[in-house]
Amino acid sequence: MKAFDTQLFKRILEYTKPYKRRYYSVILWAVLLSLFAALRPYLLKEIIDGYVIQKNFNGFILMVSLMGITLVLEVLAQFYFTYGTNWLGQDIIKDIRIKLFKHMTSFRMSYFDHEPVGKLVTRSVSDIESIARIFSQGLFMIISDILKMLVILIFMFFINWKLSFTVMVSMPILIYVTRVFQRKMQVAFEEVRNQIANMNTFVQERVTGMKIVQLFIREDIELEKFKEINDKHRKAWIKNVWYNSIFFPIADIISSLTLSFIVYFGANLLLTGDPVTEFGDLLAFNMYIAIFFTPLRQIADKFNEMQMGMIAANRVFEILDTQSHIQDTGTQKAPNFKGKISFDKVVFGYKPDEDVLKGIDLTANEGEMVAIVGATGAGKSTIINLLNRFYEIKSGTISIDGNDIRNYSLDSLRTQIAVVLQDVFLFADTIYNNITLHNPHISKEEVMVAAKEIGAHQFIMSLPEGYEYNVKERGNMLSSGQRQLIAFLRAYVSRPSILILDEATSSIDAHLEELIQKATDTITKNRTSIVIAHRLATVINADKIIVLDKGMVVEEGTHSQLLQKENGYYRRLYDSQFVNHQEEI
């Protein structure tokens, strides 16, 4: 990243357009703040030289009152300036965060296959918060400081040009030091952001997979890895602190030496009877130097706050600029499908040079239950991903009711298809909200009726708060079978035209198997269903069974037809599960 990326900065400022009035009002308060800050030392000089030394009591009271009013106005200007910059920054990152979240939710599944979740969380939370600091701690603070310094310079030259030139001598040194510091800090901040992203990714993955960590006794191994990542994070911040520890003492020394020289030089001018210099000048310049050098000393820090925000913005914009979407070019709204599904010579691979499906042809007629079986990696779940258009096919056609699914808008297509997965994901929310997914068109009464129809109502009502019971993160408060019932109910209340069960009965509790089977029979009735399963007991009654092997359809027929093939693939699967393992029947 460049020292200062003008194009990136312009892009960030684009987000201020909805808040133009507030944007310009903040700049106005910055101007007023600089005027009030420069006016205080000038009024002090006038009070000393014009009224204290002259012993003008009435004028003294008036000037002190004027100085008090100036102080009040400066406080008000500081309040509105600080509040306005932070308010503006929070509104801008609110807009960016919404845009980013919307953008990420539209990514194709392949994007999430290779992008760490922790990295995306960092971009969506801490990086976006850093963007707010461009406005609250960076841009406007720098504008305010520069205005303050310019106004103070004008006042200093107006009061005493000789002392002002003395102040100007030290400025090139401080500017040079500031510039060197800024460059070093840019590199340090970039490293800090990298290490934060790495740490977030590591912690998120280990917390999510804590069961695996403990089952395989990897606590000590993961701790050592975390120590290494944490140490890199610490070193990145130490480098940041190191540069600050060097810069600020140097800036303070330059400021103190300048003040000392002003006192020495000004006192000599007074003692020699210089007509330009008055006693009040020394007091005013004493205040001016403190006000003048403070922003000059801090401007590097504020510039780095802005730079850190721009680095974060660059990371966020990288995601916003990522085009990893399924092309939603369909112009038709999917109707209530009759349910005929056709795959015609479909070729697909998750990697460009590795095809998972190799010219698949299959058909599911209206109202049929079609089972797809095969070994792990045969391409069963891939068929579901393609039907929902989570991925784009390389070649061939997937159609529903004779119409290419690419002709339908994504939202309308996916609304007509419900999927029940083996690994049920539940949000840390109530059972009711996990079933409806906050769909306002599904009432609680509808959910309860549906739950009774598939046999889930009794188990839900046995929970402490019934449908309002919070299942916590990923539904950890429920058993796997209970989570599966919630998934069936979620699919059922959406009233889909097409239902897909992806290994939905392979990991249920034994005592809930009968209940799950009843739910399956209920939600598949009178609708086209595709059932993917390892356990052949769940697909014996399917209207059609399609057998996949290495991305190709190798057999097709009913259960009885496939069993008649002496050396058939399905027959071998059946024998391995039923003949050799009678206890599983």
Side-chain angles (χ1 to χ4, degrees):
M1 187 173 174
K2 294 181 283 187
F4 188 83
D5 193 329
T6 306
Q7 291 301 118
L8 175 62
F9 185 63
K10 287 180 179 178
R11 186 174 180 182
I12 295 169
L13 289 182
E14 288 289 316
Y15 288 91
T16 66
K17 285 184 177 179
Y19 311 102
K20 278 187 175 179
R21 291 180 63 181
R22 203 182 313 156
Y23 178 82
Y24 290 116
S25 70
V26 169
I27 293 177
L28 176 61
W29 284 116
V31 173
L32 293 175
L33 188 60
S34 62
L35 286 172
F36 294 139
L39 194 57
R40 281 190 293 113
Y42 177 76
L43 289 175
L44 178 62
K45 167 198 158 40
E46 291 299 311
I47 290 171
I48 297 298
D49 292 333
Y51 300 94
V52 174
I53 293 176
Q54 302 299 326
K55 297 183 180 180
N56 183 343
F57 184 75
N58 292 331
F60 172 77
I61 296 298
L62 179 64
M63 291 299 292
V64 168
S65 301
L66 183 59
M67 192 170 186
I69 293 170
T70 303
L71 284 169
V72 172
L73 292 174
E74 184 180 359
V75 169
L76 289 173
Q78 183 68 59
F79 168 77
Y80 284 112
F81 173 74
T82 304
Y83 183 75
T85 55
N86 282 275
W87 185 14
L88 179 64
Q90 289 301 315
D91 274 343
I92 287 170
I93 65 168
K94 176 201 70 176
D95 295 343
I96 296 176
R97 187 177 280 124
I98 290 172
K99 185 176 180 179
L100 179 65
F101 185 80
K102 182 180 179 181
H103 191 70
M104 288 195 301
T105 55
S106 65
F107 282 157
R108 66 183 73 186
M109 290 298 106
S110 58
Y111 179 85
F112 300 101
D113 291 341
H114 59 79
E115 285 294 332
V117 174
K119 171 186 171 182
L120 298 177
V121 172
T122 301
R123 300 293 178 266
S124 305
V125 182
S126 60
D127 277 342
I128 287 186
E129 283 296 334
S130 294
I131 295 174
R133 299 178 72 83
I134 293 175
F135 301 95
S136 62
Q137 301 294 326
L139 174 63
F140 292 114
M141 288 294 182
I142 291 172
I143 290 174
S144 175
D145 287 344
I146 290 173
L147 283 172
K148 194 178 292 184
M149 290 166 64
L150 287 174
V151 173
I152 286 171
L153 275 176
I154 292 170
F155 269 79
M156 284 197 299
F157 273 99
F158 176 74
I159 294 171
N160 191 310
W161 62 270
K162 292 181 179 179
L163 295 179
S164 299
F165 274 118
T166 305
V167 175
M168 296 296 290
V169 170
S170 61
M171 281 191 63
I173 302 172
L174 191 54
I175 291 172
Y176 173 76
V177 172
T178 299
R179 182 59 179 163
V180 171
F181 168 74
Q182 182 270 321
R183 287 174 178 169
K184 296 291 185 182
M185 286 299 295
Q186 179 187 340
V187 177
F189 277 135
E190 177 69 25
E191 180 63 19
V192 166
R193 299 310 305 169
N194 285 332
Q195 294 306 325
I196 289 174
N198 291 339
M199 183 175 291
N200 284 346
T201 300
F202 184 88
V203 172
Q204 189 274 334
E205 287 181 346
R206 271 59 186 182
V207 171
T208 303
M210 188 57 68
K211 185 178 290 186
I212 298 299
V213 172
Q214 294 184 355
L215 278 173
F216 289 88
I217 319 173
R218 290 186 57 85
E219 293 94 334
D220 292 340
I221 296 173
E222 298 302 331
L223 177 60
E224 291 305 314
K225 288 182 179 179
F226 181 76
K227 284 180 179 179
E228 183 179 342
I229 294 173
N230 196 35
D231 188 57
K232 289 180 180 179
H233 177 264
R234 180 188 66 84
K235 287 178 179 177
W237 270 112
I238 290 296
K239 185 183 290 186
N240 185 303
V241 173
W242 167 256
Y243 290 133
N244 277 285
S245 301
I246 294 174
F247 173 76
F248 289 112
I250 291 175
D252 286 337
I253 289 171
I254 294 172
S255 175
S256 299
L257 289 174
T258 303
L259 179 59
S260 300
F261 196 68
I262 285 290
V263 172
Y264 175 79
F265 184 61
N268 272 293
L269 291 175
L270 283 173
L271 293 172
T272 56
D274 181 70
V276 175
T277 306
E278 296 179 313
F279 181 72
D281 296 354
L282 290 181
L283 294 177
F285 268 75
N286 183 51
M287 292 180 66
Y288 277 134
I289 288 172
I291 300 172
F292 183 81
F293 277 93
T294 297
L296 188 61
R297 184 176 71 94
Q298 294 179 352
I299 202 166
D301 192 40
K302 291 170 183 175
F303 185 86
N304 280 297
E305 287 283 358
M306 189 167 74
Q307 188 70 25
M308 193 170 184
M310 289 180 65
I311 290 170
N314 191 51
R315 294 169 180 270
V316 171
F317 289 152
E318 280 180 6
I319 297 178
L320 286 173
D321 292 337
T322 299
Q323 296 303 315
S324 184
H325 305 88
I326 295 295
Q327 296 301 311
D328 191 7
T329 55
T331 57
Q332 300 178 29
K333 182 177 180 180
N336 289 324
F337 293 134
K338 293 179 181 179
K340 182 176 181 180
I341 302 169
S342 297
F343 279 62
D344 183 19
K345 296 180 175 59
V346 173
V347 177
F348 170 78
Y350 294 101
K351 297 179 181 179
D353 55 344
E354 295 180 19
D355 290 339
V356 176
L357 300 183
K358 304 167 184 177
I360 287 286
D361 289 310
L362 64 84
T363 301
N365 293 314
E366 178 184 343
E368 280 187 339
M369 176 191 283
V370 175
I372 301 176
V373 300
T376 300
K380 304 186 298 297
S381 296
T382 300
I383 288 174
I384 293 171
N385 289 332
L386 298 181
L387 188 60
N388 280 282
R389 291 199 67 204
F390 290 137
Y391 299 85
E392 292 283 22
I393 60 177
K394 280 186 177 181
S395 62
T397 306
I398 302 173
S399 60
I400 298 178
D401 295 342
N403 197 355
D404 193 322
I405 61 173
R406 287 171 290 197
N407 295 331
Y408 299 122
S409 65
L410 280 175
D411 285 350
S412 65
L413 172 69
R414 292 171 181 170
T415 299
Q416 295 298 316
I417 302 173
V419 181
V420 180
L421 300 172
Q422 174 187 358
D423 184 17
V424 179
F425 188 93
L426 298 182
F427 296 94
D429 206 336
T430 64
I431 285 182
Y432 171 68
N433 288 335
N434 268 291
I435 294 169
T436 64
L437 298 177
H438 295 277
N439 185 337
H441 302 297
I442 303 175
S443 67
K444 192 169 185 178
E445 289 70 26
E446 290 179 83
V447 171
M448 294 177 73
V449 169
K452 290 174 183 177
E453 289 176 359
I454 71 168
H457 179 72
Q458 186 175 353
F459 119 72
I460 294 174
M461 292 306 296
S462 69
L463 297 171
E465 298 171 72
Y467 288 86
E468 298 305 315
Y469 180 69
N470 193 309
V471 300
K472 305 302 179 182
E473 187 175 359
R474 299 181 67 88
N476 288 331
M477 302 303 291
L478 303 179
S479 70
S480 59
Q482 290 172 330
R483 291 197 295 270
Q484 202 66 260
L485 278 174
I486 297 300
F488 274 89
L489 191 51
R490 178 191 286 171
Y492 190 45
V493 297
S494 67
R495 306 298 178 189
S497 301
I498 296 170
L499 178 68
I500 297 170
L501 306 179
D502 185 4
E503 308 284 4
T505 58
S506 65
S507 61
I508 60 173
D509 300 313
H511 67 281
L512 283 174
E513 185 167 1
E514 186 178 342
L515 199 56
I516 294 289
Q517 191 57 53
K518 177 187 176 183
T520 302
D521 294 340
T522 301
I523 68 175
T524 58
K525 189 176 181 180
N526 298 324
R527 59 169 55 91
T528 303
S529 306
I530 295 178
V531 179
I532 293 176
H534 282 302
R535 300 173 67 221
L536 300 186
T538 62
V539 300
I540 287 174
N541 297 320
D543 297 301
K544 183 190 298 181
I545 299 173
I546 294 171
V547 184
L548 290 184
D549 183 36
K550 298 177 181 178
M552 295 182 288
V553 176
V554 293
E555 291 177 357
E556 183 176 328
T558 63
H559 172 67
S560 59
Q561 289 171 343
L562 294 174
L563 282 184
Q564 291 174 10
K565 295 185 178 183
E566 192 68 30
N567 295 312
Y569 191 101
Y570 182 82
R571 175 68 180 269
R572 293 198 303 272
L573 285 177
Y574 179 82
D575 288 346
S576 67
Q577 288 191 27
F578 290 88
V579 176
N580 299 327
H581 303 280
Q582 290 294 322
E583 69 276 7
E584 294 185 11
I585 298 178

